[in-house]
Amino acid sequence: VYDIPDVKENSKIFTILAIGIFTIATAQFKLTPDNFKNAEMQEKDFIVFEYPGLTQKQIFDKAKMYIHSNFKNLKGDGFNEVEPSQIKLRLRQRFEANKVFGMVNTWVLNSVYEFNFKDGKIMIRPVYEYIELPSSSGTEKSMYLTGGSGILGKSVFKKDGSVWVDKEIFNRIENTVNDFTNGLNKSITKNED
């Protein structure tokens, strides 16, 4: 005689698994005056993704492959590694925002990512450095996280912690970091036959 499993019990297990997968897939960073923070636990400035069954070396190799396939010419201080435990990556990520007279401005987010690897885990910590602002005068302007003024150039946040930049630009900064982080996560979880 076969024991028929309880449908309610199976649906509970499926729901728990689905919530776990959804949580991993949507783990996001929020930009704060204290730099990027884990959106769900803002006392932390990192996210940990778990990959049961993968070794430290396998996760390291997959992360390195993803980085090199998405970013060319990482020279000098752009890519540093201590195989298989850590990668430090300095990136210049372009994004478009603010149409002015029908032309789209390109902004460049300069950030540093730190990746630490263990068996079955990766820890990701992004750090905002500054944004290179588009300039018609040819002189380069930079937007830092805090400390700007209307005369010297705005910063992302005002002294009181409120967002100073345009909401679209603020969202693009967060999306640039989160898209990269989630793309890396998906690349590591992808099975290769």
Side-chain angles (χ1 to χ4, degrees):
V1 177
Y2 291 101
D3 188 17
I4 299 172
D6 185 0
V7 174
K8 287 183 182 178
E9 194 63 39
N10 284 344
S11 66
K12 284 181 190 174
I13 292 170
F14 177 78
T15 302
I16 291 168
L17 288 173
I19 289 170
I21 290 168
F22 180 76
T23 302
I24 289 172
T26 59
Q28 299 287 312
F29 288 102
K30 296 288 295 168
L31 187 59
T32 73
D34 295 323
N35 224 302
F36 285 103
K37 297 289 184 179
N38 182 322
E40 294 179 12
M41 294 179 279
Q42 290 207 3
E43 68 278 2
K44 297 184 179 187
D45 62 353
F46 61 89
I47 287 177
V48 175
F49 290 117
E50 295 190 15
Y51 310 102
L54 291 180
T55 66
Q56 179 183 31
K57 176 85 166 108
Q58 288 171 316
I59 299 168
F60 178 90
D61 289 343
K62 286 182 174 214
K64 186 175 175 179
M65 186 182 310
Y66 178 79
I67 291 165
H68 283 297
S69 66
N70 284 283
F71 300 98
K72 307 297 180 216
N73 303 321
L74 293 171
K75 297 177 183 174
D77 195 31
F79 183 87
N80 294 296
E81 66 181 270
V82 178
E83 189 175 345
S85 60
Q86 185 182 57
I87 293 175
K88 225 171 189 183
L89 180 65
R90 184 175 301 278
L91 286 181
R92 298 180 73 235
Q93 296 169 283
R94 298 181 186 282
F95 64 91
E96 295 177 348
N98 287 357
K99 279 191 176 180
V100 178
F101 302 115
M103 295 175 52
V104 177
N105 284 320
T106 301
W107 299 57
V108 182
L109 172 62
N110 289 269
S111 54
V112 175
Y113 292 85
E114 180 183 335
F115 308 97
N116 291 297
F117 304 89
K118 291 186 177 181
D119 286 342
K121 295 180 183 179
I122 182 175
M123 185 217 60
I124 303 172
R125 176 182 289 127
V127 176
Y128 176 101
E129 289 194 317
Y130 64 95
I131 287 182
E132 295 170 26
L133 302 172
S135 174
S136 57
S137 66
T139 59
E140 185 179 308
K141 292 183 181 179
S142 299
M143 180 184 296
Y144 295 94
L145 201 55
T146 58
S149 68
I151 299 166
L152 302 173
K154 291 183 180 175
S155 55
V156 176
F157 293 96
K158 294 180 185 178
K159 290 179 183 175
D160 66 2
S162 62
V163 176
W164 198 343
V165 296
D166 181 273
K167 187 70 175 164
E168 178 190 358
I169 293 168
F170 184 80
N171 290 338
R172 298 274 177 142
I173 295 167
E174 284 187 344
N175 291 343
T176 298
V177 169
N178 288 318
D179 290 348
F180 171 67
T181 302
N182 289 325
L184 175 65
N185 180 42
K186 287 177 188 170
S187 176
I188 293 171
T189 57
K190 187 170 57 174
N191 287 330
E192 291 149 16
D193 297 329

